[in-house]
Amino acid sequence: MRFSALIVSLIIGASIVRADQAGVIDNSSSPHVTFRSIGIGDCRWTDGFWAEKFQLCQDVMVPHMGSLLKGDVGHAYNNFKIAAGLKDGPHQGMHWHDGDFYKWMESAVYVYAINRDEKILAELDEIIDVIGKAQLDNGYLSTQIQLGAPEPWTARNYHELYNSGHLLTSACIHHRVTGKRNFLDIAIKHADHLYETFQPQPERLARFGFNQTQIMGLVELYRTTGDKRYLRLAEIFINMRGRSRVEPGPSVRHSTIGDMVQERKPLRMETEAVGHAVLALYFYAGAADVYAETGEQALVEALDRLWENVVHKKMYITGACGQTHHGASSRGDAVHEAFAGEYVMPNLTAYNETCANLCNAMFSHRMLGIHGESKYADIMELVMLNSGLSGISVDGRQYFYSNPLRSIHGARDYSALNTETPDRQPYLKCFCCPPNLVRTIAKLSSWAYSLPENGVAVNLYGANELETRLCDGSTLRLRQETDYPWDGAIKITVQQCKSDAFDVHLRIPDWADAAQLRINGTAADVVPVAGQFAVLTRKWKPGDVIELDLPMQARLMVGHPRIEEVRNQAAVQRGPVVYCIESPDLPKDTSILDVNVPSDIEWKLEPGISELGNVTALRGTVLLRSEDNRSMYRVLDESQWQEYEARFVPYHAWSNRGLSEMTVWMPIVWR
């Protein structure tokens, strides 16, 4: 048996792909994708908005978060040390705290992929050694269970599979970037344990999948090792969901059944995004990874339906998801941190967990790979510039868990809420969102481009340099210059390319009507269409310049007429950035509820607001009217209006100037 295991290990090791070819999602050999990933580190931000965010991520976000998680505040590293017998004490933190630590490790690897700071690798090697010592001989690894909780695989709310998924993903990324096997070997040993435990599909584990990151992790491990068992197991976890009777059981609590955990219907039959938004979107993202390998039509048809349902009936204007903290699904199941009914979009009580918003972008990133359509990159950008980035302060040290679209002093009793806070916090007891956001910022340059069959696609705009290999192995080097998202002028210079013709796909955002496109100063013969990729095909040569001008006027946006919460209200959007109005930019003692926006408002740009992260603000004259809030209802009167030139700030930058009120949506005064 030991000899056989050695042979299997050698075969797996021989089949591991070259690390320098693999992307964040390694779909380089996936048979059912249209766009493939560039390699990790192939794109580097050079200037402007995302370069500044990455620099902050490298210098502050990752080190500061490491000090929390490796110290006695976050305690995550302590848990591994205790499980390894290197330290005494109890487990501290939520059941899923191991997974949060793996996400932080993953973010550190992405930073290393750019700066090649060997101190990062040395720190990770020390951590990986401890994690290896904590792992049981049979491959099991989940410290909250090992340090005194129930027996393994007996209570799914302990998030063992969530921890598993982030372990597998983080280890694959570590191997791809560093070429090392120390973390990967731990992941393989753990995945083998998962396969032995779940592949037989015993009845007692039929409903065990909960927060299903393990599906993504298993597919990435399959892509990394070539071991098909991991892909089969990923598909098993999809197939198990929705087969069992929806009722409490030995491993299933009454509060986590049915639509709450997407088990009311099998995924292939589902028509509506339901339940816990993070659980749902991780599930869909994992299923998209499985489809990329199997090509099962029923699976992608379900994912298409669910993406449309999320984006067009359950998503906020900021790209946020998960309308309610506690509620009921359309089929009557109790849910929390969850999708609500279609077009039910409260603002003050909007939950919009940072993780859910990021998962929305992750799901769209995978759908972009499958279909190659620009609408998916539109959502990725919308999330990252709005409801994703709102989860962290401009100094990189404080965090939001939920991201409402309105905040009013005294309107909510935050002492009764376990994850919602009136402003960002230096540490969240439930710490899943901060490392999720930091790892996404750290890897975002890897989302900026994709590789169609014969060329390159520009998904996200920002000043950067790209050096990658096209699908035929030829080298491509591009330089992108822009002050996006504050300016719509984008210049892309070809620095190195093959002599044969190839395609450059330029995303024309769905808001960019009347975009203009030039090649070497001459209008391109391709007409840019909002919401599509403009495909330029020619024999390119070094020195060729593509210029794309996207109109960036500020506009008032209104909601679908079925969204009762925003009837006769408007929000402000300029390009991909959603704006809000915040109490520091209003007269003293003015309530955010007093603000009304005239339908003919005119805007002035206010660039370079350093205290909010060097953003561009907007100025416009609003109408203030003090509202009588002494009674539930009152007779309509003709109160006096006061004109006031107010500053509007990007939504992601609110709550950086002390405790404040804020709103995205404002009543319209038609004129």
Side-chain angles (χ1 to χ4, degrees):
M1 289 296 291
R2 290 178 181 174
F3 179 76
S4 300
L6 175 61
I7 294 297
V8 169
S9 177
L10 291 173
I11 292 172
I12 291 173
S15 67
I16 291 177
V17 299
R18 286 175 56 189
D20 63 350
Q21 292 180 318
V24 171
I25 299 173
D26 182 17
N27 55 12
S28 57
S29 299
S30 302
H32 302 284
V33 297
T34 303
F35 283 4
R36 304 185 190 278
S37 299
I38 62 172
I40 300 170
D42 285 2
C43 175
R44 298 165 182 250
W45 305 116
T46 56
D47 194 19
F49 184 81
W50 283 119
E52 292 171 3
K53 292 300 180 187
F54 180 84
Q55 188 74 34
L56 185 69
C57 183
Q58 170 189 266
D59 297 345
V60 178
M61 294 181 188
V62 171
H64 175 71
M65 188 171 291
S67 69
L68 292 175
L69 292 175
K70 293 183 69 179
D72 293 334
V73 174
H75 201 75
Y77 192 30
N78 287 343
N79 290 334
F80 285 103
K81 289 180 177 179
I82 296 166
L86 303 175
K87 187 180 179 72
D88 294 327
H91 180 276
Q92 293 186 41
M94 296 295 191
H95 301 325
W96 47 91
H97 212 36
D98 288 6
D100 301 339
F101 193 62
Y102 297 138
K103 283 182 280 187
W104 171 77
M105 293 175 66
E106 186 182 339
S107 69
V109 175
Y110 293 131
V111 170
Y112 171 78
I114 300 297
N115 69 14
R116 296 293 168 175
D117 183 350
E118 293 298 322
K119 293 192 294 295
I120 295 175
L121 286 196
E123 179 183 22
L124 290 174
D125 281 344
E126 174 190 305
I127 292 169
I128 292 165
D129 183 63
V130 172
I131 292 173
K133 288 181 170 66
Q135 187 173 33
L136 300 184
D137 289 342
N138 68 356
Y140 183 86
L141 182 59
S142 221
T143 64
Q144 82 284 12
I145 298 292
Q146 292 170 234
L147 299 178
E151 290 295 313
W153 316 122
T154 57
R156 71 179 181 186
N157 59 296
Y158 274 81
H159 284 71
E160 291 156 277
L161 288 175
Y162 172 86
N163 291 338
S164 298
H166 286 298
L167 165 62
L168 303 185
T169 298
S170 185
C172 287
I173 296 300
H174 179 266
H175 170 72
R176 286 172 194 168
V177 172
T178 69
K180 295 187 174 187
R181 289 198 54 125
N182 50 346
F183 203 12
L184 183 66
D185 286 340
I186 294 171
I188 290 172
K189 185 176 179 181
H190 183 69
D192 290 347
H193 172 71
L194 294 181
Y195 188 83
E196 293 167 3
T197 303
F198 287 94
Q199 187 276 334
Q201 301 180 58
E203 180 62 27
R204 68 180 183 86
L205 298 178
R207 298 168 66 193
F208 206 83
F210 185 65
N211 197 343
Q212 303 209 78
T213 64
Q214 82 277 7
I215 298 174
M216 288 181 286
L218 285 163
V219 175
E220 288 306 325
L221 193 60
Y222 158 71
R223 290 165 170 166
T224 303
T225 66
D227 190 331
K228 292 184 178 180
R229 293 179 304 156
Y230 306 141
L231 177 60
R232 287 198 295 270
L233 184 57
E235 192 166 16
I236 284 170
F237 279 117
I238 294 173
N239 297 342
M240 287 197 304
R241 179 61 80 242
R243 285 181 174 177
S244 303
R245 294 181 61 182
V246 178
E247 59 187 13
S251 68
V252 181
R253 300 190 309 180
H254 72 280
S255 61
T256 56
I257 64 174
D259 281 338
M260 169 61 186
V261 291
Q262 299 81 44
E263 67 173 359
R264 181 65 67 178
K265 280 188 177 182
L267 179 62
R268 295 168 181 82
M269 298 174 60
E270 187 58 271
T271 58
E272 179 186 6
V274 295
H276 194 289
V278 175
L279 274 60
L281 290 162
Y282 272 145
F283 188 20
Y284 306 158
D289 282 337
V290 170
Y291 168 79
E293 305 304 325
T294 67
E296 184 193 342
Q297 191 63 25
L299 201 55
V300 76
E301 288 175 357
L303 294 173
D304 289 341
R305 289 193 304 270
L306 290 164
W307 188 90
E308 292 290 334
N309 183 255
V310 169
V311 170
H312 296 298
K313 295 183 179 180
K314 298 193 176 188
M315 185 183 77
Y316 283 88
I317 193 171
T318 58
C321 291
Q323 304 110 295
T324 184
H325 192 163
H326 299 289
S329 71
S330 61
R331 295 184 282 246
D333 289 331
V335 296
H336 69 271
E337 300 183 336
F339 289 109
E342 296 176 352
Y343 305 110
V344 178
M345 312 295 292
N347 293 310
L348 181 69
T349 61
Y351 198 68
N352 295 343
E353 181 183 340
T354 300
C355 274
N357 309 337
L358 297 170
C359 290
N360 190 24
M362 291 170 60
F363 178 31
S364 283
H365 183 216
R366 285 159 169 80
M367 296 301 283
L368 172 68
I370 290 170
H371 292 304
E373 296 178 29
S374 66
K375 64 183 181 180
Y376 302 110
D378 285 345
I379 299 303
M380 293 157 52
E381 176 178 78
L382 181 68
V383 169
M384 291 313 302
L385 287 172
N386 297 287
S387 60
L389 204 54
S390 60
I392 196 165
S393 59
V394 294
D395 69 1
R397 293 182 172 92
Q398 300 190 73
Y399 317 102
F400 268 142
Y401 188 97
S402 61
N403 298 270
L405 276 71
R406 182 171 292 146
S407 181
I408 304 170
H409 293 328
R412 309 190 73 191
D413 179 8
Y414 287 99
S415 67
L417 302 171
N418 61 346
T419 50
E420 292 161 279
T421 54
D423 56 359
R424 294 184 187 85
Q425 301 297 306
Y427 183 75
L428 303 174
K429 184 178 179 182
C430 179
F431 204 67
C432 56
C433 296
N436 208 1
L437 177 53
V438 169
R439 72 166 177 160
T440 308
I441 294 171
K443 72 181 176 183
L444 191 66
S445 62
S446 296
W447 286 8
Y449 296 89
S450 294
L451 301 175
E453 182 178 359
N454 184 37
V456 65
V458 187
N459 304 323
L460 303 177
Y461 296 110
N464 64 65
E465 291 183 348
L466 172 71
E467 182 172 356
T468 193
R469 284 181 289 173
L470 302 183
C471 292
D472 62 6
S474 62
T475 297
L476 176 67
R477 291 175 57 225
L478 301 177
R479 182 176 72 248
Q480 184 178 156
E481 299 168 271
T482 181
D483 194 28
Y484 194 89
W486 315 123
D487 190 291
I490 298 157
K491 177 182 175 182
I492 299 174
T493 303
V494 179
Q495 296 180 307
Q496 183 180 347
C497 65
K498 64 181 181 179
S499 58
D500 294 336
F502 64 93
D503 306 327
V504 176
H505 299 236
L506 297 172
R507 180 176 62 91
I508 311 301
D510 59 0
W511 46 263
D513 298 322
Q516 296 181 352
L517 188 56
R518 296 179 297 279
I519 301 175
N520 297 330
T522 302
D525 57 5
V526 173
V527 177
V529 177
Q532 297 182 18
F533 279 105
V535 182
L536 308 177
T537 305
R538 59 184 284 156
K539 289 187 176 182
W540 301 93
K541 61 184 185 301
D544 282 344
V545 175
I546 303 168
E547 293 175 283
L548 175 63
D549 290 327
L550 301 174
M552 299 285 280
Q553 69 270 25
R555 300 187 290 187
L556 293 181
M557 307 293 292
V558 296
H560 189 284
R562 283 183 56 188
I563 306 176
E564 296 183 14
E565 293 87 349
V566 300
R567 290 279 287 177
N568 200 39
Q569 295 184 58
V572 182
Q573 186 168 347
R574 181 175 181 267
V577 179
V578 176
Y579 283 75
C580 67
I581 192 165
E582 198 177 3
S583 54
D585 298 312
L586 293 171
K588 185 179 180 181
D589 298 327
T590 299
S591 169
I592 209 76
L593 297 178
D594 296 343
V595 179
N596 299 260
V597 60
S599 60
D600 60 354
I601 189 170
E602 296 182 356
W603 301 102
K604 294 183 291 187
L605 298 184
E606 186 179 354
I609 309 300
S610 58
E611 64 180 331
L612 298 179
N614 199 28
V615 302
T616 292
L618 299 173
R619 283 197 175 272
T621 299
V622 299
L623 299 174
L624 304 180
R625 183 179 69 172
S626 180
E627 296 280 358
D628 184 350
N629 61 5
R630 292 172 296 178
S631 59
M632 189 98 167
Y633 305 101
R634 61 182 173 83
V635 175
L636 177 66
D637 59 28
E638 299 201 16
S639 303
Q640 294 296 310
W641 297 94
Q642 174 192 351
E643 290 190 348
Y644 183 79
E645 185 180 85
R647 173 196 278 174
F648 288 72
V649 302
Y651 168 77
H652 77 252
W654 87 277
S655 189
N656 279 287
R657 294 173 288 175
L659 189 64
S660 66
E661 294 192 340
M662 176 277 299
T663 190
V664 169
W665 292 95
M666 298 150 289
I668 305 169
V669 177
W670 294 94
R671 64 183 193 185

